[in-house]
Amino acid sequence: MNSETKHQLFEKVEPDRSVLVQIENLSRGIDNYHIDIKLSKKFTSDVKKLVPMLVSQIAVPKPKHWDNSALFDKLRSSYLDVMTVLIHRSKTDLTTDTITVFQFSLIKYILTAVRSQLDKDISNVSSKLAEFRNKGSSDALAADQRLFWLKKNYDQILYAVNKQIFGQLQRTEERQLDAVRNQFLGEQYSFAVEALLNPLLFTAELSALPLLLNEYSMWSWNAEDSGFIDLNKQVEALLNKHLKSHPVTLLKSNIEPEDRATEIHDELGGLFKTQNFLGLAYDSKTRLG
């Protein structure tokens, strides 16, 4: 590659996009930290009907193809209704930063519902296993095998269920909400859809094999985080050495914990699971970025 070609290539590289959402003016709940958000009953009802069915369909060794179009239609419709009303409120009583935060409550609700359903199924199988063992039943072996399979394929099930649901949301975003977002929120908040539908949300941790195999180049079958972290540091250092005009932002912050306030709330366990990759998350009580 000659120098002219390199120069043309680098001109196409977009600089890092800084995302900062101010939330210090939002009212806090009883703990003076969390923000209480009331969701649409129709949306939550559609999710409650869809999630158990998807988990039961996918949490088997050889899933079949099911026609879930009716429930998917309802989910897309309720998601469209909620998001349309929310985005239009930018012209009445909500700021764009507030809308940006509120829309993530829908995603959190879905992620929580999927994981809770799978955990519930695992707990039910575990209870049955204990009951069978106490009775000396021959069904204990089958229950034990079922429990082992569910735990082994935990992230695969999460990934498959979430991917189906988020695929429906993406369809709605691309076909119906894109114009509404552009009109009322503008280009400044175009990052929101990418964040809402990010496949990194599909599994319980970043090193989960289903996520790496389906969304990224798989670099190792042993799924050891330390190997990836060391390799990533070397790649970042190499890029920063040779691409001085396009400095690479480090994946993991070098700021020591004592130099900043860190986030203490982590309901889904995502911040804890990713700290080896990204470092400790800063306190997000007043801003998100």
Side-chain angles (χ1 to χ4, degrees):
M1 181 183 296
N2 57 45
S3 59
E4 182 178 354
T5 304
K6 290 180 180 179
H7 182 70
Q8 294 175 348
L9 178 62
F10 294 156
E11 286 182 341
K12 298 179 181 179
V13 177
E14 296 182 3
D16 287 345
R17 176 172 51 188
S18 178
V19 175
L20 183 63
V21 179
Q22 300 291 346
I23 58 174
E24 68 272 13
N25 294 325
L26 294 181
S27 299
R28 298 306 195 275
I30 192 172
D31 62 357
N32 197 34
Y33 194 95
H34 286 85
I35 301 167
D36 295 332
I37 300 175
K38 185 176 181 179
L39 296 178
S40 157
K41 290 184 178 180
K42 184 176 184 302
F43 175 80
T44 56
S45 176
D46 290 339
V47 172
K48 289 178 181 178
K49 293 175 182 177
L50 179 62
V51 167
M53 185 188 68
L54 286 179
V55 172
S56 66
Q57 293 173 355
I58 293 173
V60 292
K62 295 181 179 180
K64 299 178 181 179
H65 176 73
W66 298 87
D67 180 10
N68 300 318
S69 56
L71 288 180
F72 283 153
D73 289 344
K74 291 182 178 180
L75 176 68
R76 291 196 307 272
S77 176
S78 59
Y79 178 75
L80 177 62
D81 289 345
V82 173
M83 290 304 304
T84 301
V85 171
L86 178 61
I87 294 173
H88 275 81
R89 290 179 67 182
S90 64
K91 298 301 181 182
T92 54
D93 62 329
L94 295 180
T95 66
T96 47
D97 276 357
T98 301
I99 291 172
T100 300
V101 174
F102 281 7
Q103 63 188 336
F104 281 95
S105 61
L106 303 177
I107 300 305
K108 181 179 179 180
Y109 183 81
I110 292 172
L111 295 174
T112 302
V114 173
R115 191 178 300 189
S116 297
Q117 182 62 47
L118 181 54
D119 289 343
K120 178 182 177 182
D121 288 357
I122 291 176
S123 178
N124 289 340
V125 175
S126 182
S127 297
K128 289 181 180 180
L129 175 59
E131 180 182 346
F132 290 149
R133 284 176 172 172
N134 289 335
K135 294 180 178 179
S137 173
S138 58
D139 293 329
L141 178 59
D144 186 51
Q145 292 175 339
R146 174 63 176 167
L147 182 62
F148 175 80
W149 187 91
L150 286 172
K151 291 181 176 180
K152 180 181 178 181
N153 293 277
Y154 188 88
D155 274 305
Q156 175 61 44
I157 299 168
L158 284 183
Y159 174 84
V161 174
N162 284 326
K163 188 172 180 63
Q164 286 200 39
I165 296 176
F166 278 60
Q168 300 303 314
L169 305 188
Q170 182 173 6
R171 179 176 168 182
T172 303
E173 288 285 351
E174 293 175 349
R175 297 184 181 184
Q176 295 159 290
L177 283 173
D178 184 60
V180 179
R181 285 185 178 278
N182 290 336
Q183 178 182 355
F184 289 89
L185 303 182
E187 181 64 26
Q188 181 183 358
Y189 292 87
S190 61
F191 68 87
V193 177
E194 297 177 19
L196 286 169
L197 306 179
N198 195 320
L200 292 174
L201 301 173
F202 294 177
T203 56
E205 51 189 308
L206 295 181
S207 57
L209 287 178
L211 176 68
L212 298 178
L213 285 168
N214 290 279
E215 305 293 343
Y216 302 96
S217 296
M218 184 61 197
W219 71 279
S220 172
W221 281 100
N222 59 24
E224 292 182 0
D225 297 344
S226 59
F228 171 81
I229 294 170
D230 292 338
L231 177 62
N232 185 70
K233 288 181 179 178
Q234 296 179 42
V235 172
E236 289 175 339
L238 183 64
L239 292 175
N240 279 320
K241 178 180 179 181
H242 294 284
L243 302 178
K244 297 185 182 300
S245 60
H246 295 79
V248 176
T249 302
L250 300 181
L251 183 64
K252 184 175 182 179
S253 173
N254 291 322
I255 300 176
E256 295 298 325
E258 59 266 20
D259 295 334
R260 62 177 179 176
T262 56
E263 181 60 69
I264 60 175
H265 295 283
D266 189 16
E267 287 87 347
L268 290 173
L271 300 180
F272 176 77
K273 291 288 184 64
T274 60
Q275 67 181 10
N276 288 336
F277 300 95
L278 307 176
L280 294 174
Y282 68 81
D283 182 11
S284 59
K285 184 177 182 180
T286 59
R287 69 171 189 169
L288 300 173

